[in-house]
Amino acid sequence: MVKTAGIINLKTAFDSRSLVKEIFLNENILIKRDIKNLLDNTWSKWLGKNASERINNSNLFLIYLLDSENSDDNQKERTLAEAEIFLFFTSLIINDVFSNEFTYKPYIISGIYDEEPITIQSFSELQYPVSLVCPNNPISVNSLNETLQMYYQFREINNFANEYYRVIRGIKAFIKGIESKFFVDRIHMFIRSLEAFIFPPKGDTKREFKNRVSLLTKITDLDKLCLFYNIRSNVEHMHHPFKGLTKLSDEDLQKITFELEIISRIVIKYFLLNKDCWELFMDSKIEESWGDKGNKITSLWDLTIDLQEYSNVIFYVD
């Protein structure tokens, strides 16, 4: 039986000692370091020389495989394979910081997979994750296995989208932040992703933001959390991010952006990987969960984030 494949290409850093030429993470998800002759002459001409070379020179391919009875009428299988590999790709973005070279845009490709070459049937460009810090964090077998667990959980919660609309919107806000090259937009999206979990009440949003984020993360520097929110408010209202704030530099803005990325990423990861906590954040229960100073949440949620672990980073962007 032929296979229908959904494929996403990356040009990234990976741990070559642990990541062999190809590895099946489960019966459907295959990771390959190389696909020879991915683009035939027709696709190469359609995409142009530069784009074709970049795709062919990608060094990591995420592949979702499905059995397909009819290679000529496999639209349903292609749609499913594309959706599943995109979900895995999203889980990889959530799992940890990794870089995709700026000039190598990822594509989502689907077609018939009968070993190699692959018969491509559809092709579209993806927004790509932007890492603003270095050194590169290499993708390893361990990180791919962590991503697989995230994929399973993310897939499950999407089956209950109407019950977790707020949290799912928060995860999507995080992804939008990762896709932006602009610090102010990243800050705005990362704060929004946190707000999906903390459900700040109207009228006292800033105070509750710092208190509730502190409760979720055990970050005790409330002044820092307050600063995060002040910058976000300036950005949201189209002001300069430093309006009303003193002694801040562009370097500070970069650091703050990265710290917010770390906080929102770890909160999302903890939520997805700890199903005992899910019910707390259901749309119908989140307001009640934050009542009585969040005691229901603290009884099940036990996360500590130490931002000092991420203090020695070097930024790509000036």
Side-chain angles (χ1 to χ4, degrees), residues 79-230:
T79 300
L80 179 57
E82 288 178 4
E84 292 295 335
I85 202 59
F86 181 73
L87 193 62
F88 183 81
F89 174 64
T90 301
S91 302
L92 182 65
I93 293 171
I94 293 170
N95 186 59
D96 205 351
V97 178
F98 78 95
S99 66
N100 192 66
E101 289 192 20
F102 290 115
T103 57
Y104 279 76
K105 289 188 177 181
Y107 290 83
I108 189 160
I109 304 162
S110 63
I112 299 302
Y113 185 93
D114 185 15
E115 294 303 323
E116 297 177 12
I118 295 167
T119 304
I120 297 175
Q121 295 170 306
S122 67
F123 208 104
S124 57
E125 185 177 311
L126 290 174
Q127 290 291 330
Y128 56 94
V130 178
S131 176
L132 300 180
V133 298
C134 62
N136 294 336
N137 191 27
I139 295 172
S140 66
V141 170
N142 285 341
S143 61
L144 288 172
N145 284 326
E146 289 175 0
T147 297
L148 183 66
Q149 297 308 309
M150 200 91 61
Y151 158 81
Y152 288 142
Q153 304 299 78
F154 197 16
R155 188 191 203 195
E156 182 174 346
I157 205 164
N158 271 293
N159 292 331
F160 302 98
N162 289 333
E163 298 176 54
Y164 292 96
Y165 182 81
R166 183 180 184 90
V167 165
I168 291 171
R169 283 286 306 277
I171 295 172
K172 289 179 178 178
F174 175 80
I175 298 300
K176 286 183 179 179
I178 292 296
E179 291 172 350
S180 177
K181 298 178 183 177
F182 303 104
F183 291 113
V184 292
D185 292 337
R186 291 172 80 95
I187 286 173
H188 191 197
M189 288 297 117
F190 297 149
I191 293 283
R192 288 194 69 191
S193 72
L194 288 171
E195 286 180 330
F197 290 92
I198 66 172
F199 197 78
K202 292 181 180 179
D204 203 4
T205 307
K206 180 166 70 173
R207 183 172 70 86
E208 287 305 316
F209 172 83
K210 66 179 181 180
N211 290 340
R212 293 183 178 186
V213 171
S214 177
L215 186 145
L216 284 182
T217 63
K218 296 187 176 67
I219 293 174
T220 57
D221 189 344
L222 299 185
D223 289 338
K224 179 187 285 285
L225 295 177
C226 197
L227 174 64
F228 290 165
Y229 194 84
N230 286 336

Side-chain angles (χ1 to χ4, degrees), residues 15-30:
D15 182 359
S16 58
R17 294 169 299 176
S18 67
L19 192 56
V20 294
K21 186 174 181 181
E22 68 175 48
I23 181 172
F24 272 96
L25 297 181
N26 64 15
E27 62 181 6
N28 298 108
I29 298 177
L30 171 65

